[in-house]
Amino acid sequence: MRETVLIVDDHPSFRASARRMLEADGYDVVGELDNGDGVVAAVEKLNPEVVLLDVHLPDIDGFEVTRRLLDADGASPQIVLISSHDLTDLDEAVCASGARGFVAKSELSAEAISLLIR
Amino acid sequence: MTAPRRTLIGLAGLAFLMGIAAFVVMLNGEHNVHRGAFAGLFLATGWGFVGVGLWVWKQRSAGNIGPLMVAVGLSGLLKGLAFSNDSVVFAIASVGEVLIYAVLIQLLLSFPSGRLETRLDRLLVTIAYVNTTVVQLGVFLFTDPAKADPSNPLLIENSEAAGVLSAAQLDISIALLGAVVAVLYRRWRSGTPGRARVFAPIVAVGGLTFLLLMAALVVEQAGLSSDISDAQTLALFASIACLPFAFLVGLLRSRFSEADAISELLAQLGEGGGRGALRNALADALGDPTLELAYWVLDQDAYVDAAGQPVRVDPAPAGKVSTIIEHEGERIAAIVHSPGLAEDRELVQTAGAAAGLTLRNERLDAELRAKVAELQASRSRIVQAGYEQRRRLERDLHDGAQQRLMALGIDLRMVRERIEHDPQGAAELLDESLHELNEATAELRELARGIHPAVLTNRGLHAALKGLASRSPVPVELLQTPADRLPPSVESAVYFVVAEALTNAARYSRAQTVTVGVVRDNGHVDVEVRDDGVGGADADQGSGLRGLQDRVAALDGRLELTSPQGLGTILRATIPCA
């Protein structure tokens, strides 16, 4: 059974590359979203096992989206935060967020995600 | 007001003759029980007003006060002729006998400047003249005011009209006198201490006169005994007889008060005292502790205070009045003072003129402070603009090229994994990657151009402006550019002036064409960008033009926007370039 993923990032070419990479490595990308506000509803509807969530979104940031997802009733997906900044810039906020982990976009690979969610 | 000597002598002669005539007429008048007393008071009043009036007139000061006092005196003597036994003299004098009150009201309300300063003053004086001429004529035509011979030769028998007109004239007179007393009292109370001193004798005697007149009118209205009426009339004329001397005292006090104020001002200015001393000296001299000084800064086309901060002068702030001060024909400052001083505007201007040289020096000081304040504000805006530009750059890099390079990284890692077992798929991914790379390169190039266009450094202003023109969505005609290279900072400013103007033309102007001209001439560079769009651009709107203004001002240049509605927009910059 392939693991299902929702990609949340406001940059279309990055989403396309991430989808290609994840699908090539056996993930099932069930949806894409370019904003933070619609994530809770999308998760309720698509019920993904993993949410690949950009920290810098145009409306609300990824940490706030994480808080809303964790506060929401129902099944909680595993949240992997991503950013073009590296972890040193975001270390404390990532630790406090309740997300499963963080991957810098420059290091993003299916293997890095697998290590975090298993 | 100037008056030829002949006019003054003629008026004096006229007053002398009218006085003698009125005196004789009154002594022989048969409808007057107190002939001697009335005759003496009339003569004293008439000659008193004319004498003081001619003296004031001769001094060529106090505006119309002199002529008005002469008019009061002559109309008082005319009133005396109404006691004549001759029906023609009686008729003429009776029609004009109450004119004295209207002239007196005008005199009181225009004291000491000689001008009616407020709309209420002008209204009251107009009503007074209508009441003492038009209404008086009507009253005379329908009433016989003589208690004995001669009878009214113009009498029209109509008791109803007589009653209505007399009652109307009385009512109007009482209301008018009440209003004038109230205005005088308010003026006395609300003025500065010096002004209150000037007003005191006039308010005291004038107020008493009008109160007696009101009482006389009320007695007349109530139809009380003639003994009371005669006593009141005597008291009234005794009071009127004192009035010219009250005016004289008031005018002399006014002169002394002005002289004192100016002497005090000059003494305080002589003591120096640094910034703010001039304001304090003027406030003391004019008796207005709330007084403020505003200095005219020609460059900024605005007034500033001593600290160089903008001040509103026209219109003055609520509850204040401004008086503009000139020195040697040049506007140098404005005194913003309480409305109480507005009627002493001449004193304010005299004080301002006396302090002219000091004001001029302090204006230079304030002008310098205004420039420093503007420079500080401009520096702060430049720092802020730099901060915002860096933030925008970071955001543009993050949202644009950086994301594309991240995606490219993912794709290239996949290519590396596929290249052996799926060369076809890897080739397709490489095509995608090349596309992303080209997009990222284009975005970076655009960003770099926004920071500083390399073409400007490498190939000069003409090539850089041609590049701007070729990328503009609105057709651009590049008229001329300097043949030689300009200093880098000037070239950069010119480039960004043109870039901003073209961006605005494309976004807002709906222009069909834009022309760009850059000319180096006589130690400066003139840039002009002109479009044929809808106009109506506002330099205060949007940060782009303000940023440009700062950029140009940093080089001691000037930026001007002309954008009348419907007539296109012209952006001009003049930058010093030795």
Side-chain angles (χ1 to χ4, degrees):
Chain A
M1 180 85 176
R2 303 204 305 168
E3 276 176 302
T4 53
V5 183
L6 171 67
I7 303 173
V8 185
D9 192 292
D10 59 322
H11 204 280
S13 66
F14 178 83
R15 288 201 305 272
S17 295
R19 174 188 277 270
R20 266 197 302 273
M21 180 264 295
L22 288 169
E23 286 179 344
D25 281 302
Y27 287 91
D28 179 13
V29 178
V30 292
E32 293 179 19
L33 211 59
D34 63 0
N35 64 80
D37 203 33
V39 173
V40 173
V43 166
E44 278 176 11
K45 185 180 167 193
L46 303 170
N47 200 21
E49 289 159 291
V50 179
V51 177
L52 202 57
L53 178 60
D54 188 15
V55 168
H56 298 285
L57 293 167
D59 49 359
I60 48 177
D61 73 24
F63 300 117
E64 172 62 18
V65 176
T66 303
R67 194 187 61 73
R68 288 186 191 182
L69 281 173
L70 295 176
D71 287 350
D73 294 334
S76 300
Q78 301 189 70
I79 302 163
V80 176
L81 292 168
I82 53 174
S83 172
S84 45
H85 296 272
D86 61 28
L87 188 59
T88 52
D89 292 335
L90 303 164
D91 196 11
E92 282 184 24
V94 169
C95 290
S97 69
R100 192 79 183 177
F102 172 87
V103 182
K105 284 185 181 177
S106 54
E107 308 292 329
L108 189 65
S109 65
E111 191 182 0
I113 294 170
S114 302
L115 284 173
L116 285 173
I117 63 175
R118 297 249 156 76
Chain B
M1 173 172 289
T2 60
R5 196 178 166 79
R6 265 183 309 188
T7 307
L8 299 181
I9 293 171
L11 285 168
L14 177 65
F16 178 75
L17 292 176
M18 280 181 74
I20 298 295
F23 190 74
V24 172
V25 161
M26 291 180 77
L27 280 182
N28 295 303
E30 291 170 2
H31 40 218
N32 185 2
V33 287
H34 307 288
R35 294 173 193 174
F38 270 99
L41 283 173
F42 267 79
L43 201 58
T45 305
W47 283 358
F49 265 108
V50 172
V52 174
L54 288 174
W55 180 78
V56 173
W57 198 342
K58 190 167 173 287
Q59 302 303 307
R60 301 178 180 184
S61 63
N64 284 327
I65 293 296
L68 279 170
M69 291 185 78
V70 172
V72 171
L74 292 177
S75 54
L77 294 172
L78 178 67
K79 183 177 172 64
L81 293 174
F83 290 92
S84 173
N85 297 326
D86 180 84
S87 61
V88 176
V89 176
F90 164 75
I92 294 169
S94 292
V95 172
E97 73 167 339
V98 288
L99 190 61
I100 183 176
Y101 301 119
V103 188
L104 201 50
I105 287 173
Q106 183 179 357
L107 174 61
L108 283 165
L109 292 180
S110 59
F111 186 82
S113 69
R115 289 187 303 273
L116 295 168
E117 304 275 3
T118 70
R119 200 175 289 176
L120 177 63
D121 288 351
R122 289 189 284 275
L123 176 69
L124 292 175
V125 169
T126 305
I127 293 172
Y129 277 109
V130 171
N131 200 35
T132 55
T133 54
V134 180
V135 180
Q136 169 67 9
L137 180 63
V139 170
F140 185 73
L141 290 177
F142 293 106
T143 324
D144 186 354
K147 292 171 187 164
D149 287 335
S151 61
N152 180 353
L154 304 173
L155 185 65
I156 301 168
E157 290 286 354
N158 186 334
S159 59
E160 196 179 333
V164 169
L165 281 169
S166 291
Q169 191 184 34
L170 270 176
D171 291 345
I172 292 170
S173 300
I174 292 170
L176 186 63
L177 293 173
V180 171
V181 170
V183 167
L184 288 175
Y185 179 74
R186 190 170 57 90
R187 205 160 283 174
W188 175 56
R189 293 284 297 173
S190 64
T192 56
R195 183 156 193 86
R197 226 174 133 260
V198 168
F199 257 94
I202 291 100
V203 169
V205 184
L208 175 67
T209 302
F210 282 174
L211 286 174
L212 286 168
L213 185 56
M214 278 173 71
L217 293 171
V218 170
V219 166
E220 187 184 332
Q221 197 176 37
L224 296 177
S225 79
S226 64
D227 285 346
I228 298 176
S229 176
D230 284 345
Q232 279 184 331
T233 310
L234 277 172
L236 171 64
F237 276 88
S239 170
I240 293 178
C242 294
L243 257 177
F245 305 101
F247 274 102
L248 187 60
V249 173
L251 281 172
L252 290 174
R253 278 188 175 180
S254 168
R255 294 242 180 117
F256 287 134
S257 163
E258 282 184 22
D260 283 351
I262 302 305
S263 307
E264 188 185 329
L265 174 65
L266 292 174
Q268 285 199 31
L269 290 180
E271 290 168 9
R275 196 167 127 198
L278 176 58
R279 189 218 78 87
N280 295 341
L282 280 167
D284 286 349
L286 297 173
D288 178 7
T290 68
L291 176 148
E292 292 296 340
L293 275 175
Y295 303 93
W296 175 247
V297 181
L298 190 63
D299 284 355
Q300 297 185 11
D301 197 25
Y303 286 93
V304 299
D305 62 15
Q309 296 302 311
V311 176
R312 205 181 73 188
V313 165
D314 188 19
K320 292 281 186 180
V321 174
S322 306
T323 301
I324 307 298
I325 304 298
E326 294 186 347
H327 186 244
E328 294 172 352
E330 184 193 348
R331 175 165 42 163
I332 50 171
I335 299 178
V336 184
H337 51 80
S338 75
L341 266 177
E343 288 159 12
D344 262 340
R345 205 171 279 247
E346 277 164 22
L347 171 61
V348 178
Q349 273 169 343
T350 307
L357 200 59
T358 316
L359 265 175
R360 190 183 273 274
N361 290 338
E362 287 216 359
R363 185 186 73 155
L364 292 174
D365 210 18
E367 199 171 347
L368 195 63
R369 286 200 178 86
K371 278 191 177 163
V372 170
E374 174 54 29
L375 275 176
Q376 281 172 338
S378 159
R379 193 175 60 182
S380 164
R381 284 199 300 271
I382 287 172
V383 170
Q384 182 65 21
Y387 169 74
E388 281 169 10
Q389 193 177 31
R390 284 195 300 278
R391 281 211 57 182
R392 197 166 52 243
L393 194 60
E394 189 273 339
R395 203 168 50 239
D396 288 348
L397 278 170
H398 174 267
D399 292 347
Q402 194 175 3
Q403 298 302 319
R404 292 192 187 280
L405 293 175
M406 296 290 170
L408 184 62
I410 293 171
D411 290 347
L412 288 177
R413 279 196 293 279
M414 286 178 66
V415 168
R416 187 182 59 196
E417 285 165 16
R418 283 187 189 183
I419 198 154
E420 283 185 8
H421 63 271
D422 181 12
Q424 180 61 32
E428 285 171 11
L429 264 177
L430 275 177
D431 287 341
E432 291 269 349
S433 303
L434 278 172
H435 173 74
E436 284 295 309
L437 189 60
N438 288 336
E439 290 291 317
T441 308
E443 282 178 12
L444 284 172
R445 192 185 301 123
E446 196 61 34
L447 267 176
R449 195 182 289 127
I451 300 166
H452 183 82
V455 63
L456 188 60
T457 313
N458 300 334
R459 295 176 51 217
L461 195 56
H462 184 77
L465 295 186
K466 274 190 82 172
L468 275 179
S470 68
R471 288 191 297 276
S472 166
V474 183
V476 177
E477 189 182 352
L478 189 57
L479 299 177
Q480 57 183 324
T481 52
D484 300 328
R485 293 298 297 262
L486 305 174
S489 58
V490 177
E491 281 191 340
S492 176
V494 171
Y495 175 88
F496 283 107
V497 166
V498 176
E500 180 70 20
L502 293 182
T503 303
N504 289 342
R507 277 188 193 159
Y508 312 116
S509 77
R510 286 184 261 155
Q512 300 300 309
T513 56
V514 183
T515 57
V516 175
V518 183
V519 182
R520 183 178 192 170
D521 181 33
N522 204 17
H524 51 82
V525 173
D526 293 323
V527 187
E528 183 180 287
V529 184
R530 183 187 289 259
D531 74 46
D532 58 359
V534 294
D538 183 356
D540 294 330
Q541 298 292 316
S543 58
L545 278 175
R546 209 165 40 241
L548 271 190
Q549 244 156 7
D550 291 339
R551 191 188 274 260
V552 171
L555 299 171
D556 271 342
R558 265 200 350 262
L559 192 74
E560 275 176 28
L561 180 75
T562 311
S563 188
Q565 203 69 247
L567 295 173
T569 298
I570 305 169
L571 185 68
R572 285 195 190 92
T574 304
I575 303 166
C577 178

